[in-house]
Amino acid sequence: MDAERAASAGGTAAGDDGAPEALQGLIEVVTYHDPETLYTVLKISPEKGYEVASDDLFRPGRAAAVGRAVDPSQGQRVRLLGRWGSHRAHGAQFEFDSLEVLPPADERGLVRYLSSKAFDGVGETLAQRIVDALGAGALEKIRDDPGCLNGIRGLRPDVAATLGEAIRSEMDRHKASAFLRGLSLGPWQAAAALATLGGDCEQRVREDPYVLADEVHGIGFKTADKVALELGLALDDPRRARAGLLHALAGGADDGSTYLPREDLLARTSRLLDDAVEPETLETTLAALAKRREVVVEESASGARVYQPRLHHCEQELAKRLTELVAREAAPLADDARISDVARLHGIDLHEDQFAAVRGLLSNPVALLTGGPGVGKTTILRLVVALAEAAGCSVALASPTGRAAKRLAEASGRDASTVHRLLRYEPGEGGFAHGPDKPLEADLVVVDEISMLDLVLAYHLANAVGGHTRLVMVGDPDQLPSVAAGNVLADLLDSRVVAVHRLTHIYRQAAGSLIVTNAHRVLTGDPPVLPERGDTSSDFYFFPAEPSDRAADRLVEVVTKRIPDSFGFDWLRDVQVIAPMYRGACGVDALNDRLRDANGVGGLELQRGNRKWRLGDRVIHTRNDYEREVFNGDMGRIVHVDPNGHLTVDFDDRRLDYQAGELNDLMPAYAITVHRSQGGEFPAVVIPVVPEHSLMLQRNLLYTAVTRARKLVVLVGSWRALTIGLSNERRGERLSALAERLREASPG
């Protein structure tokens, strides 16, 4: 008996040397399997030599096993590698890291396999007849010659044909899965590759391992590169150069740039490939990519720029379309007298720059309203919409995210939608219903929070604005830019092509707020003004705490005790923690765990791998689901948990059920990142500021976080870290030629 079996037979944990244990046997029952996450619960009948006699591990004769597996089937013979553990509710279980499907050990096992649910129409009696006729090598015989099933009593021709195809598919799939797992791909990655690349997966990967990164969602360049080298690809192979160039260019887009300078791209790629590819090879490969239109290389006064084709198209066409829209004639929708009358009717006392902004927004075919907190952007927006409607115009309101659209609807008193919904995104088609051939029907389209508007979405929006439709955009240029590639708001301001109305005057009711005061001080790099010690009437506080683990303790106390006790907020409903990073003691992940434990509602929970969802959790939806009309950034609370693998979330206005395959759309939301907070507004915001986050701490990030609060901001952490953030005016450089293209296309 080898060491692994000896460890298992003795009922001990993984060996002292840390080597994994093995469990081998038949799958008796597939208790649970999630096709999306691959989370699996099995009942295994161990083979001789793999039994565990100790009563404290599991009931003799059958073992519980949990892990990730690709489509396990009852009757399969498997070998699991992992370790023994214990679940507080379900007791002892084998927690496996890998599952290998083995051929049946004997004819009895073969009968059980053929009569399992994996093969329709084959019961135990018929399976026994097949094995009696074909022997222990039945599976290989059927795979190689399905005609060998002819003449078996009781086996109908249609069932025989289905069985032959199913066995061939099963064996090919297991062979391909074993090949992929042998290349160090995890079960989820192997499953994704099989699902995407199909039956000739192994052949395609051997021919070009980078097909894994090109076509399989969730597998990146580094994984594909590791596979390529394991398969013997030379470090300077042209396929590796091509994949490296495309990955480096995609990395630039991930960082927000619409293009990379040619020399920068070549240098990034060389570093990515450990300088193993000659510069001449990279240059030749880049030229070949451009010839095949896999990239676009465009000459400019500052040197060659390299684009992904889609981003190049969107940047060119957005500049062209905006220039066309700006050049149209547009009669004013209201004169000064009308503006004054409607403002008075709404109880609005317009400042001089506000009056000029209203006049300009109603007089231009395309206009932009900007300004920081407390300058009255919302007031102006409401008045512009009211005046446009009074002039007989139909108005459509939209924002880039669901949370921002909800906030816009509350501020305007009118319906608002996401930009995707406004343009009628069609998931099956991968595009939008509204465009040049079917423009938006509204006379005025107002888009708020355009700092979050990326290049591609801005292109589709401009394309959907028809000849008679006016476009008003509203945004704060000091907030973080969009997550996806582009720097649209900054480029519009820089181009000076679109009419811009910037509000700077802070109004009396806002001037008394330290939130507004300190938001503007953050932008100039000045430390925040803080209240006197013991003053509970302020709306801005700083709680010192170092190091980070103590800051995390202090933050949890501030959120769950001090704020509710001093200000009467319900921390689960009204207080939002906004952190710069996911990692660290004061990162989003750790704080979510701490605050979830502080909530402690109920005992029902679902766990899939390292992730869990618990009754009472505050959660955030992380992608746009247009069919169910729930969007990235929508926040709710888990109000029901079903142990069978689904749950219900209350989103204030309605409740939605999430099945097992949809759980990954939900993340804990006691703490969220600054980017995820954009477009939202919360009664109270708590922000950890610690040295570990120094790489991310910068003025516009702090400014964005602070301006998410309506009534209260509390900073927790290190004054030194805050000073570092305030001194960092650097913004992540985003390369974009939109402003340049707008200036070139403008006749003026």
Side-chain angles (χ1 to χ4, degrees), residues 378-661:
T378 300
T379 299
I380 298 305
L381 187 58
R382 281 202 305 266
L383 186 56
V384 165
V385 170
L387 284 161
E389 289 176 338
C393 295
S394 58
V395 180
L397 303 174
S399 284
T401 68
R403 192 189 304 121
K406 184 177 180 180
R407 183 180 170 195
L408 176 59
E410 293 169 350
S412 65
R414 291 161 177 80
D415 290 338
S417 71
T418 63
V419 176
H420 281 82
R421 189 187 295 173
L422 174 71
L423 301 179
R424 284 182 49 198
Y425 180 71
E426 298 176 326
E429 303 295 325
F432 296 92
H434 288 294
D437 298 329
K438 188 179 180 180
L440 295 165
E441 296 178 358
D443 298 308
L444 172 64
V445 173
V446 178
V447 182
D448 195 14
E449 297 284 1
I450 69 160
S451 62
M452 294 188 287
L453 197 65
D454 62 82
L455 175 69
V456 174
L457 190 55
Y459 156 75
H460 285 292
L461 173 65
N463 248 9
V465 175
H468 76 283
T469 301
R470 300 167 188 252
L471 178 62
V472 168
M473 295 172 284
V474 184
D476 184 344
D478 293 312
Q479 289 189 23
L480 292 175
S482 60
V483 175
N487 206 14
V488 175
L489 176 53
D491 285 338
L492 290 176
L493 294 171
D494 184 37
S495 73
R496 301 181 182 274
V497 169
V498 175
V500 176
H501 303 278
R502 189 188 300 269
L503 302 178
T504 58
H505 180 74
I506 299 175
Y507 291 88
R508 187 168 49 205
Q509 62 271 27
S513 165
L514 283 185
I515 295 176
V516 173
T517 298
N518 288 333
H520 288 277
R521 289 179 67 84
V522 165
L523 291 178
T524 57
D526 295 315
V529 176
L530 298 176
E532 295 292 331
R533 187 177 182 85
D535 181 356
T536 59
S537 64
S538 181
D539 60 3
F540 198 105
Y541 296 88
F542 178 87
F543 282 77
E546 292 188 78
S548 291
D549 54 351
R550 289 187 60 189
D553 292 340
R554 190 74 177 273
L555 183 143
V556 172
E557 178 198 9
V558 166
V559 169
T560 62
K561 293 185 173 61
R562 290 189 176 233
I563 289 178
D565 291 347
S566 299
F567 299 95
F569 288 120
D570 178 346
W571 74 270
L572 288 170
R573 186 187 65 229
D574 301 328
V575 183
Q576 183 61 58
V577 177
I578 301 177
M581 297 177 68
Y582 280 100
R583 297 189 301 274
C586 284
V588 166
D589 292 337
L591 291 177
N592 268 318
D593 288 342
R594 295 282 301 272
L595 292 166
R596 168 192 276 144
D597 290 342
N599 182 11
V601 174
L604 289 176
E605 67 178 36
L606 293 176
Q607 183 162 355
R608 300 291 180 266
N610 295 325
R611 297 188 59 186
K612 65 176 65 173
W613 299 262
R614 182 183 298 169
L615 182 67
D617 271 356
R618 181 197 291 179
V619 290
I620 185 169
H621 188 90
T622 58
R623 72 176 181 88
N624 291 329
D625 185 337
Y626 301 98
E627 293 182 11
R628 298 201 299 167
E629 296 192 341
V630 57
F631 300 98
N632 186 4
D634 287 352
M635 298 174 71
R637 190 173 309 284
I638 297 175
V639 293
H640 174 73
V641 174
D642 188 311
N644 292 321
H646 62 90
L647 51 82
T648 303
V649 178
D650 186 346
F651 285 103
D652 292 334
D653 56 341
R654 61 205 172 101
R655 293 187 174 190
L656 287 179
D657 290 327
Y658 285 75
Q659 302 302 314

Side-chain angles (χ1 to χ4, degrees), residues 29 53 104 219 322 371 436 472 570 579 657 664 697 703:
V29 180
I219 296 183
L322 279 175
V472 168
D570 178 346
D657 290 327
N664 284 335
L697 289 175
Y703 172 82

Side-chain angles (χ1 to χ4, degrees), residues 198-277:
D200 59 349
C201 174
E202 180 175 349
Q203 179 183 344
R204 293 189 64 189
V205 171
R206 288 190 182 278
E207 289 175 354
D208 182 6
Y210 298 99
V211 71
L212 292 168
D214 291 345
E215 298 187 23
V216 182
H217 179 69
I219 296 183
F221 172 81
K222 289 185 178 180
T223 299
D225 194 43
K226 182 178 178 182
V227 167
L229 298 179
E230 286 188 22
L231 289 173
L233 211 70
L235 289 172
D236 60 351
D237 190 289
R239 288 170 292 181
R240 189 166 185 254
R242 171 190 174 275
L245 284 163
L246 293 176
H247 178 72
L249 186 58
D254 290 342
D255 292 337
S257 293
T258 62
Y259 71 87
L260 287 179
R262 179 178 178 277
E263 298 307 317
D264 183 21
L265 173 61
L266 292 172
R268 289 186 183 210
T269 306
S270 184
R271 290 194 299 270
L272 179 69
L273 302 179
D274 300 320
D275 299 320
V277 180

